[in-house]
Amino acid sequence: MFAMRLRKETKLVVALMAAMLVAVCGGAAGAQPASVLSHMPGDALGALIIPSLESLATQFNTLMSLADADSLSANVPKHADEAAARIGLLLQLDGVKDMAGLVAASGVDASKPVVVILPRIVEDAGFILPVADREKAEAMLNEKIGANAREVALGVGDAKAKMQEFGNLGYFMRDGHCYVGLAESTLKSLASTAAAPRAVRYGAPEFPAQNPKEIAFYLNMAALDGGAPPALSAVAPLLPGLAAAYDEAVLALAVENNAVQLRLAGHGASGSSYADAAALKLPRIFSETGAGMLALRLSSDLKEFIGAQIDAFMGGPERSRQVKGIYNMLASNLGEELVVSVLGAGDSGVKFVACAEVPTPDTLLMFMRMAGLGQEPKFTHNEVPVFVAEGLIPNATMHVAHTNGVLAISTDEAAVKKTIESAAPDAPKSGGAAPQALLERGKHGFLILNGVEGAKLASDLGAPIAADTVKGGQVTLTLEQQPTWRQIVLDLPDAGMLAAALAPLLSSL
């Protein structure tokens, strides 16, 4: 009966978990994830690692306060204690009114990591729970399983699990942990890896958990060889390419000092070391970022990866050939660096300037002339010809110039002139557009969004932004590479920005 009720209450469970798991652990760190994940079955798709329930509750409360909990839907618990009380009711635990009561009644150790195992059939999930009071934990589980529980041999020595007589909920205890499964096959897989832990890179020096407080969704890329589950159907075309490049991936979230860091990291499948790179040069020719700046290192690996995805997304061979032809032309003629800066708003819309390394621009300029770029320069600046195109962007004039291996394109005449001056061989490179620390971190690319300038741009374009959403200042995203792993890191300087973004999602649960 309990299993049937659990399935009927799936929507409530998902709502509670979603509300709680958007929080980030901010208390004492638990064990390293590698030691916990080593008990994950090798064919499982992934796992959710929560370093501790204590820290999860703390950060959930912080997020709720920042999200203006009173304005959220009644379906969303406003406090960790309220969420715990709902879970206690779902689990039919008498007298559970808060998190402390839930922990006490369940016998779980709230200071150590909890892992949710996600097999290919998500309904057959497994759980690894640290146990502080084995007697209480077993009493609770035995009550839910029922008096007529059956014993199931797990195939590891004489180990057995208890399972419902007519149902799929079962568990076994080992080494201070309780292993819970919603299918007999899940329990057997957990028993096998509990007895013989497997190698996991996440959490080890070669693929570290950068913040011991991060809550992480771990993805076992090798398990995707059999195809993507329905939950990942939106990104299914990308998975074959990603699985070939990375054997493990992690989406991790951490809050510290009211700042939020979200990172997507992958460990290289080949086992060979990635080459180091120098800091990007083109951002140094800009003296300011404006409302935002995007910089990319167009490495041969990135160009090859993008090209490989065209067939997957174009929806047909004819369209794919056309797009791939244009892409191959651009990829073969562009150098390694590309930078775009949004300057603000003008009479014709957004003002921007873009620069790219283009050692030999003839092919690109010919292509642009076919699209409407003037055959002759409109004017020269510092002896550099500047070409103009009308109509490439509605109501905007495009200015194009090439100097010192840099192709500059801008909707603003003054900006293209300034770029010509800054790109000269003897011009000082201020680097003022991006802090040196960001250049060193984002050697493969970065994105800067300036809150104040962005709000002004939005207002100028007729879409004002609430002041609370930009109070955190500058948001950055960096593309980073280490010898054995790569990652994309989003840094939000104020957790209130995340709370404001999550509020509509939480209200819809």
Side-chain angles (χ1 to χ4, degrees):
M1 291 295 293
F2 175 71
M4 293 177 61
R5 184 176 180 190
L6 183 65
R7 294 182 186 279
K8 289 180 180 179
E9 298 291 345
T10 297
K11 186 173 181 180
L12 175 59
V13 172
V14 171
L16 291 173
M17 288 186 67
M20 292 185 69
L21 297 180
V22 293
V24 185
C25 46
Q32 282 296 308
S35 64
V36 183
L37 281 177
S38 63
H39 296 178
M40 185 183 90
D43 60 352
L45 294 177
L48 180 69
I49 306 111
I50 304 169
S52 79
L53 293 179
E54 290 175 347
S55 57
L56 180 65
T58 299
Q59 292 305 305
F60 176 75
N61 291 338
T62 299
L63 192 63
M64 285 298 98
S65 65
L66 291 168
D68 187 16
D70 291 339
S71 66
L72 300 177
S73 163
N75 293 329
V76 180
K78 310 303 187 292
H79 193 277
D81 287 339
E82 181 184 346
R86 294 191 190 188
I87 294 173
L89 182 63
L90 176 65
L91 297 177
Q92 300 175 350
L93 297 174
D94 294 333
V96 173
K97 298 180 180 179
D98 52 26
M99 184 62 72
L102 177 63
V103 169
S106 63
V108 172
D109 189 335
S111 67
K112 294 180 180 179
V114 174
V115 178
V116 181
I117 306 295
L118 301 175
R120 184 166 295 280
I121 301 174
V122 178
E123 291 79 7
D124 294 342
F127 305 84
I128 304 175
L129 307 172
V131 175
D133 189 323
R134 176 167 179 160
E135 185 177 341
K136 283 186 177 180
E138 286 193 303
M140 181 194 74
L141 285 165
N142 288 335
E143 181 182 346
K144 304 312 167 190
I145 289 176
N148 296 321
R150 56 194 169 98
E151 283 194 338
V152 174
L154 296 174
V156 178
D158 59 356
K160 293 181 173 63
K162 288 186 177 181
M163 295 200 73
Q164 288 173 319
E165 183 181 13
F166 303 106
N168 293 323
L169 178 67
Y171 81 93
F172 66 92
M173 297 278 186
R174 181 188 174 102
D175 299 332
H177 285 84
C178 177
Y179 297 80
V180 179
L182 301 184
E184 187 174 317
S185 59
T186 302
L187 287 170
K188 289 180 177 179
S189 294
L190 286 171
S192 176
T193 47
R198 69 188 189 91
V200 177
R201 293 183 171 88
Y202 173 59
E206 62 183 289
F207 189 30
Q210 286 202 301
N211 189 329
K213 302 173 182 179
E214 68 186 19
I215 186 169
F217 177 69
Y218 169 91
L219 193 59
N220 180 15
M221 302 301 290
L224 295 172
D225 287 344
L232 297 177
S233 60
V235 294
L238 283 171
L239 293 178
L242 290 173
Y246 305 102
D247 52 16
E248 296 182 10
V250 171
L251 178 63
L253 184 68
V255 168
E256 200 159 23
N257 299 325
N258 209 34
V260 176
Q261 184 176 92
L262 178 67
R263 70 186 190 99
L264 176 62
H267 179 272
S270 68
S272 58
S273 294
Y274 297 125
D276 194 12
L280 294 170
K281 301 185 296 294
L282 284 188
R284 298 176 185 272
I285 71 176
F286 292 93
S287 59
E288 58 183 355
T289 62
M293 172 181 283
L294 171 67
L296 279 178
R297 181 179 298 282
L298 301 174
S299 65
S300 57
D301 285 350
L302 179 60
K303 290 178 180 178
E304 183 178 338
F305 177 77
I306 294 173
Q309 308 315 308
I310 291 176
D311 289 335
F313 284 96
M314 284 302 105
E318 183 175 348
R319 178 63 174 164
S320 179
R321 280 195 300 270
Q322 294 174 347
V323 173
K324 188 172 285 188
I326 296 173
Y327 173 76
N328 288 338
M329 183 277 296
L330 291 172
S332 60
N333 284 277
L334 288 174
E336 271 214 340
E337 294 193 29
L338 171 68
V339 181
V340 180
S341 180
V342 177
L343 306 174
D347 295 337
S348 57
V350 176
K351 294 196 302 181
F352 72 90
V353 58
C355 291
E357 279 187 345
V358 182
T360 54
D362 293 347
T363 300
L364 281 177
L365 288 174
M366 180 180 68
F367 184 78
M368 294 176 73
R369 288 189 180 106
M370 292 172 60
L373 185 68
Q375 297 290 324
E376 299 295 330
K378 187 76 172 181
F379 60 90
T380 61
H381 183 71
N382 288 4
E383 301 183 355
V384 175
V386 179
F387 299 86
V388 170
E390 304 284 353
L392 284 180
I393 296 179
N395 303 317
T397 300
M398 299 290 293
H399 302 79
V400 180
H402 180 266
T403 179
N404 194 34
V406 176
L407 184 70
I409 303 175
S410 180
T411 54
D412 184 71
E413 181 178 323
V416 82
K417 289 179 178 179
K418 191 171 184 178
T419 303
I420 291 171
E421 297 166 3
S422 300
D426 57 350
K429 304 300 186 288
S430 67
Q436 184 63 31
L438 187 63
L439 290 172
E440 290 298 327
R441 279 183 56 196
K443 292 179 179 179
H444 288 262
F446 59 83
L447 171 68
I448 300 174
L449 297 176
N450 188 307
V452 175
E453 291 295 327
K456 182 177 183 302
L457 173 63
S459 179
D460 290 343
L461 294 176
I465 297 177
D468 284 350
T469 63
V470 299
K471 65 182 179 181
Q474 197 173 76
V475 175
T476 62
L477 182 146
T478 50
L479 305 181
E480 304 176 19
Q481 179 172 288
Q482 298 296 326
T484 56
W485 51 277
R486 293 167 169 160
Q487 66 178 7
I488 302 172
V489 182
L490 175 65
D491 287 295
L492 298 173
D494 193 300
M497 302 174 74
L498 177 64
L502 287 174
L505 172 62
L506 294 176
S507 294
S508 68
L509 293 175

